[in-house]
Amino acid sequence: MSFATNMRRCVVAVLAAGAVLAASVPSASADVSQPDWCPVVEGRRVECGTLTVPLVRADPSQGSTRIAYALVRRTGTGRPAAGTVVPVPGGPGEPAIGQVDLFAQQTAALRADHDLLLIDPRGVGRSETIECGLPDDLYLLSRERYVAEIGKCGRALGARARGYTSAESADDIDAVRARLGVDRVDLYGVSYGTYLSTVYAHRHPDRVRRIVLSGAYPLASDPLGRSSARAVPDILGRLCARSGTCRGGEAVADLRTLAARLRKDPIRFTARFAGRSRTVAMDERMLALLHYYVAGSGGTPAAWSELPAAVGEAARGKPAALVAMTRQTVEMTGTLPPEARSSRAQSVAVLCNDYPVVWDRRSAVPARRASFQRALRRADGTFGPFSTRGWTAAVADSADACLRWPRETPRAPRYGAAPDLPVLVLSGDLDTNTTLDQGRRAAAQFPDATFVKVPNAGHVPTGEKSGCAARLAADFIRTGELRGTACLSRIPALPVRPVR
């Protein structure tokens, strides 16, 4: 469950992907009737527009908001479209229109006869970005201050916060679909987009033809992130077995040793953040963060090539490589482009309105805190190599993140059985963010779902470099079946640096 422009877009893409979202660039040859933000896709006509919808559909007095979309037409315009693919971006907080090049590339096999409909979620990108005063260094704050800042964000948004839910965003997608006269869509959800796609399928089942979920997690996910913590030893075992340059059991033991040491004696170093020097503590929380969000990110998760050796060396008293990784993460977090920083308000609003919590949302902060502490005690010892608090303090989008979120926001809706639609779920077997276990549970929500484990891939496996997973996804959208999976066995193993 990735939430971009918060920890996942601020930190996750840093080492593994190293790329900035593609910008929508207007062209001098663009149709003058188009808005100036309308993207240009070589060889394809793009039609852009906006649609005004209620901010809270159940309460029209809250006013309205504007939803932006870009419809990228198929190249074979002489025939009717075989389908309309709707990429549902991650985050929450990522735009779709700003990633047009990425989504066009991943659906290139469909470009001749499928249209591509990109919709910026409300509060993000061209769909009226919102702000709530979150500080630039939010993800470097202590856990207590982090929780406090999210609470302040909720109070700053006030009644408007009720409008930023997955249910409202799903209804926005359907409103654009109806405006354009599209009968049914093919949903292509990535990361948080797998959650939103599932919500859309529940709310508008008759308007969905097929669904692809890449880097998926179920609606009823664990607020404490235990699946991700338990996945770390398994992934270290796979990395070492495939590379031959390390031993899985030894790598796990090194991680356990280092986590215990950093719990008591953090390593302090300086890093440049937003042009200023600041002291950073490499503690167990930071170590967990590297393994939760950074290591497995990107379809081809390059950070796994370095992290086991860096941990092993630090466990032996040589922390230079691990400090360098952490410093790079911190410094790149401080240089995020404005569009990445500006969507954090929508991110925290969605996660605090929608994601499962271990307390009654109607209760006051002291009662919430007591419920959270009881949940931690019950969960003790179930976080793999990490301590209970060391891991949960790194969980950016759940655990106690929303402890101080206002009580006046809407209750998260409960959904029954999912509709009987063709669904393909792809999970990378090196992903600690949305794990194999979470992917299987996401698939189990649907009566007609196919689950595929993508070897040597991380979060959002349709982004892995060989292109195999993206081809499988495109073929499924075209045919409704999974065929030609032999390419999975040819995805190369990651090289893993040995401990020096």
Side-chain angles (χ1 to χ4, degrees):
M1 52 178 94
S2 166
F3 79 96
T5 67
N6 58 27
M7 181 65 74
R8 280 178 245 253
R9 191 151 126 217
C10 290
V11 175
V12 180
V14 168
L15 296 177
V20 176
L21 293 173
S24 52
V25 181
S27 165
S29 61
D31 185 344
V32 294
S33 65
Q34 299 277 45
D36 60 5
W37 48 260
C38 194
V40 173
V41 179
E42 185 176 359
R44 302 176 72 173
R45 189 172 83 250
V46 184
E47 302 163 12
C48 296
T50 61
L51 179 66
T52 299
V53 299
L55 181 63
V56 181
R57 287 175 169 85
D59 183 6
S61 68
Q62 293 298 323
S64 62
T65 189
R66 190 171 60 250
I67 307 301
Y69 63 87
L71 180 62
V72 183
R73 291 295 188 182
R74 61 203 176 279
T75 57
T77 54
R79 297 180 179 179
T84 300
V85 181
V86 178
V88 188
E94 289 188 7
I97 296 171
Q99 299 186 82
V100 61
D101 291 343
L102 173 65
F103 288 124
Q105 178 185 6
Q106 291 188 3
T107 60
L110 302 169
R111 68 194 302 267
D113 55 1
H114 283 68
D115 293 336
L116 192 65
L117 175 57
L118 301 129
I119 304 169
D120 276 357
R122 55 172 54 203
V124 175
R126 301 298 177 180
S127 293
E128 295 194 355
T129 299
I130 59 169
E131 293 281 3
C132 66
L134 291 168
D136 287 345
D137 64 347
L138 177 66
Y139 308 111
L140 299 180
L141 301 177
S142 69
R143 187 66 180 189
E144 292 74 17
R145 285 194 60 199
Y146 175 77
V147 172
E149 290 293 342
I150 289 179
K152 286 169 60 178
C153 171
R155 292 190 294 276
L157 290 174
R160 291 183 300 155
R162 296 173 52 208
Y164 297 95
T165 66
S166 299
E168 294 286 2
S169 290
D171 292 351
D172 293 341
I173 293 172
D174 201 60
V176 174
R177 176 207 59 77
R179 156 72 74 84
L180 296 175
V182 176
D183 182 44
R184 293 193 299 166
V185 296
D186 297 305
L187 300 173
Y188 193 107
V190 299
S191 193
Y192 162 73
T194 68
Y195 183 102
L196 180 52
S197 295
T198 303
V199 171
Y200 182 92
H202 276 280
R203 297 177 71 83
H204 305 283
D206 295 339
R207 297 305 180 182
V208 182
R209 192 178 68 139
R210 293 170 189 140
I211 305 174
V212 170
L213 304 177
S214 178
Y217 60 101
L219 297 183
S221 57
D222 176 18
L224 302 182
R226 282 169 285 193
S227 174
S228 294
R230 291 192 293 260
V232 171
D234 294 337
I235 290 174
L236 288 171
R238 291 185 196 112
L239 285 166
C240 291
R242 293 168 185 173
S243 68
T245 57
C246 57
R247 297 177 180 175
E250 185 176 292
V252 174
D254 286 342
L255 178 55
R256 193 180 300 276
T257 296
L258 184 61
R261 184 183 304 164
L262 294 178
R263 203 176 304 147
K264 298 177 180 179
D265 187 20
I267 299 169
R268 301 188 184 278
F269 62 91
T270 59
R272 300 287 293 176
F273 182 87
R276 295 183 178 182
S277 181
R278 67 182 297 160
T279 299
V280 178
M282 179 69 204
D283 54 10
E284 187 187 17
R285 175 197 178 200
M286 186 67 75
L287 185 67
L289 184 151
L290 289 175
H291 286 80
Y292 195 173
Y293 297 117
V294 178
S297 69
T300 303
W304 273 129
S305 295
E306 172 67 17
L307 190 54
V311 167
E313 289 159 5
R316 292 162 178 75
K318 299 183 290 184
L322 187 63
V323 168
M325 278 189 87
T326 311
R327 178 181 288 116
Q328 184 182 10
T329 300
V330 169
E331 292 183 347
M332 293 187 72
T333 303
T335 58
L336 286 169
E339 63 270 18
R341 295 194 299 271
S342 64
S343 58
R344 290 178 305 177
Q346 191 264 13
S347 282
V348 299
V350 171
L351 73 91
C352 289
N353 285 334
D354 289 358
Y355 285 10
V357 292
V358 299
W359 55 78
D360 185 339
R361 292 180 187 270
R362 295 167 297 180
S363 62
V365 171
R368 293 180 181 188
R369 185 179 291 110
S371 296
F372 180 66
Q373 291 302 323
R374 286 194 296 271
L376 292 186
R377 288 193 293 271
R378 289 193 297 267
D380 196 37
T382 62
F383 295 91
F386 301 93
S387 70
T388 299
R389 196 51 179 153
W391 183 264
T392 56
V395 179
D397 58 1
S398 46
D400 59 344
C402 298
L403 190 74
R404 294 183 174 275
W405 192 255
R407 288 186 286 177
E408 293 75 18
T409 51
R411 293 189 197 178
R414 295 173 180 262
Y415 295 102
D420 190 0
L421 298 165
V423 178
L424 175 64
V425 177
L426 300 127
S427 293
D429 74 356
L430 302 181
D431 183 8
T432 45
N433 191 336
T434 53
T435 64
L436 292 175
D437 173 66
Q438 289 176 300
R440 290 188 179 98
R441 290 195 292 119
Q445 297 173 125
F446 293 91
D448 184 17
T450 301
F451 175 79
V452 174
K453 178 176 71 173
V454 183
N456 305 310
H459 190 49
V460 186
T462 44
E464 55 85 20
K465 289 181 181 178
S466 81
C468 171
R471 290 193 297 273
L472 293 180
D475 193 47
F476 183 83
I477 288 174
R478 181 178 297 284
T479 67
E481 299 177 357
L482 184 65
R483 303 183 299 187
T485 59
C487 64
L488 291 169
S489 64
R490 297 192 292 271
I491 298 175
L494 292 181
V496 179
R497 178 175 73 79
V499 174
R500 289 193 288 260

